Amino acid sequence: MRAIWTGSIAFGLVNVPVKLYSATENHDVSMHQVHEKDGGRIRNQHRCQECGKVVESDDMVKAWDDGENRVILTKEDFEALPADENDDLEVLQFVPNDQIDPIMLEKSYFLEPTSKTPKSYLLLRQTLEDTDRTAIVTITLRSRTRLAILRVCGKVLMIQTLRWADEIRDVDFKGVDSQAKISKKELEMSAKLVESYSEDFTPEEFNDDYQEELRKLIDAKIDKSESLDLEKAFGDEEEDEEPGGDVIDLMEALQKSVDSSRSSKKGSASSKKGSSTSGAKKSSGKSGAKKSSGKSSSSNSGKKKTG
C-alpha cells in the first residue's frame, strides 16, 4: 500500500505520529472504450462549445452557473481561499460509538504508527476500546478540511470521512406515515421469518458473481486468440517519508491535558453559577434571561467545535 498522508493525531498535548492508507480498493475489471471495427483506443476530447477548438487540461478552469449567471473561477481564485495545511489530525470530541449514523460514513482509511516506540498509538487504541468511544476529528486532504471519525478496527486505528450534516437529504414519504394496522399474528410470522434467516455475518461468503463471470469471459477470449496488445501500466513509486517523533513524556502530556480540561470545566461551571445568581437577583423567572443564557452556551459550543 502507498501512504497518501503523513501527520499526527493530536488530542490535548498528546501527538500520535501516523501514516494514512486507503482501506479499500475496487475489484472491478478495468476496461476502456475502443472502436469495434479495428480495436483502436477511443480518447475523450474536451471541445469548447463557443470556438469549437479542443481544449487541453492546462487551459481549463471551473465555473459556477445557476442558469442566469456564470462565474468563472481561476486557479488563482482557488489558491486565494483559506486552505488548512495543518498536518495534524485534530480530535474535537469523543462520543459514544452508537451515536454515529452509518448514513454519514464515506471513505475509510487505515492509520499506521510511524514512531519507533508507538506507545501513544497503543494507548489511544486501548482507551477507545475501554471507553466505547469514537473520536470526532478533522483532517486536511487535498487542501480540503474534512470531518471524520477515528475508531478501532481490529489491531489498527482507522478514520472514516463523514458527510456534513447539510449533505443528508430530508425526506417526507407519505407511505411511512400510513395508519395501516398490523396484526399480532403478522408480527409473529414476520419475526419467525427473520429468525429463519438469522446468522452471523461473514463477508467472505459473498462473491461478486458478475465480475467473476466477466473475468472468465476475458480468459476464454484470450485462449481463442481474440486479444489485442495492451498498454503497459507503470505504478508510482512510494515516497520515502521521515517518521515523526514520539511524545517525549506521555504521562506528563496526558496529565496536563486532563488538568487543563478540568480547569476549563470548573471555570465554566463557576461562570454559569455566578450568572445564574445574578440573574435571579435582578429578575427571577424572566424568559429574557433564559434566552440570553442559552444563546451564550450555544455560542461557546460553536467555538469549541470549530476551534
Side-chain angles (χ1 to χ4, degrees):
M1 294 190 294
R2 174 179 159 185
I4 62 174
W5 181 89
T6 300
S8 297
I9 303 170
F11 63 108
L13 298 178
V14 179
N15 281 356
V16 185
V18 292
K19 282 185 178 181
L20 189 76
Y21 299 85
S22 181
T24 60
E25 59 185 1
N26 192 334
H27 71 190
D28 288 0
V29 175
S30 180
M31 308 183 79
H32 52 253
Q33 293 180 319
V34 297
H35 186 188
E36 184 178 9
K37 182 178 180 180
D38 54 22
R41 180 78 177 265
I42 295 176
R43 303 289 183 181
N44 291 327
Q45 291 183 329
H46 299 277
R47 193 176 296 275
C48 176
Q49 291 183 344
E50 295 296 324
C51 65
K53 294 181 179 179
V54 174
V55 182
E56 299 298 328
S57 58
D58 290 341
D59 296 323
M60 296 181 189
V61 294
K62 294 186 177 182
W64 176 86
D65 195 332
D66 65 356
E68 296 181 3
N69 302 293
R70 174 175 292 176
V71 177
I72 295 178
L73 300 170
T74 65
K75 295 177 182 178
E76 289 74 20
D77 291 330
F78 284 104
E79 290 173 355
L81 292 175
D84 189 0
E85 298 298 334
N86 192 357
D87 287 335
D88 281 345
L89 199 159
E90 185 180 0
V91 175
L92 305 179
Q93 299 174 323
F94 289 99
V95 302
N97 292 338
D98 58 6
Q99 288 189 1
I100 306 300
D101 191 332
I103 196 174
M104 299 187 71
L105 299 177
E106 289 189 310
K107 193 167 176 56
S108 301
Y109 301 89
F110 290 133
L111 293 171
E112 175 194 20
T114 59
S115 174
K116 293 180 180 178
T117 55
K119 184 176 180 180
S120 54
Y121 182 98
L122 303 178
L123 175 63
L124 178 57
R125 183 188 70 186
Q126 188 65 45
T127 303
L128 291 176
E129 286 182 334
D130 292 347
T131 58
D132 287 329
R133 294 274 166 169
T134 295
I136 304 298
V137 303
T138 55
I139 182 173
T140 302
L141 292 174
R142 301 178 183 89
S143 299
R144 287 184 58 191
T145 300
R146 301 169 187 269
L147 192 66
I149 62 169
L150 184 151
R151 66 180 184 87
V152 179
C153 178
K155 293 183 179 181
V156 302
L157 292 173
M158 73 177 300
I159 70 166
Q160 290 175 278
T161 53
L162 297 175
R163 295 179 176 88
W164 300 98
D166 61 356
E167 293 181 315
I168 309 299
R169 289 177 172 174
D170 292 325
V171 295
D172 185 19
F173 298 134
K174 295 180 180 179
V176 299
D177 296 322
S178 172
Q179 300 299 317
K181 292 183 179 180
I182 300 175
S183 69
K184 183 179 178 180
K185 187 67 174 177
E186 288 172 328
L187 280 173
E188 290 176 352
M189 292 300 296
S190 180
K192 287 181 180 179
L193 180 61
V194 170
E195 184 62 30
S196 68
Y197 279 85
S198 296
E199 56 184 294
D200 292 332
F201 178 52
T202 50
E204 297 80 11
E205 291 184 3
F206 302 93
N207 300 313
D208 189 341
D209 294 336
Y210 178 86
Q211 292 298 323
E212 289 182 356
E213 293 301 318
L214 179 57
R215 287 187 177 92
K216 289 179 182 178
L217 176 60
I218 292 172
D219 289 341
K221 282 184 169 286
I222 291 175
D223 291 340
K224 294 180 180 179
S225 299
E226 295 184 22
S227 63
L228 298 170
D229 290 337
L230 303 176
E231 295 179 0
K232 295 181 180 179
F234 297 94
D236 294 330
E237 294 183 1
E238 183 175 355
E239 296 180 2
D240 249 342
E241 300 282 356
E242 288 293 327
D246 205 353
V247 181
I248 297 176
D249 191 335
L250 183 57
M251 282 304 299
E252 182 181 350
L254 286 169
Q255 187 61 52
K256 287 183 179 180
S257 299
V258 172
D259 292 343
S260 175
S261 177
R262 286 176 178 172
S263 299
S264 63
K265 286 183 179 179
K266 285 182 180 179
S268 176
S270 300
S271 176
K272 287 182 179 178
K273 185 176 180 181
S275 63
S276 175
T277 305
S278 175
K281 287 181 180 180
K282 290 182 180 180
S283 64
S284 59
K286 283 193 176 183
S287 61
K290 290 182 179 178
K291 288 181 179 178
S292 175
S293 175
K295 183 177 180 182
S296 175
S297 174
S298 173
S299 175
N300 289 339
S301 174
K303 290 180 181 177
K304 181 180 178 182
K305 289 182 180 179
T306 55

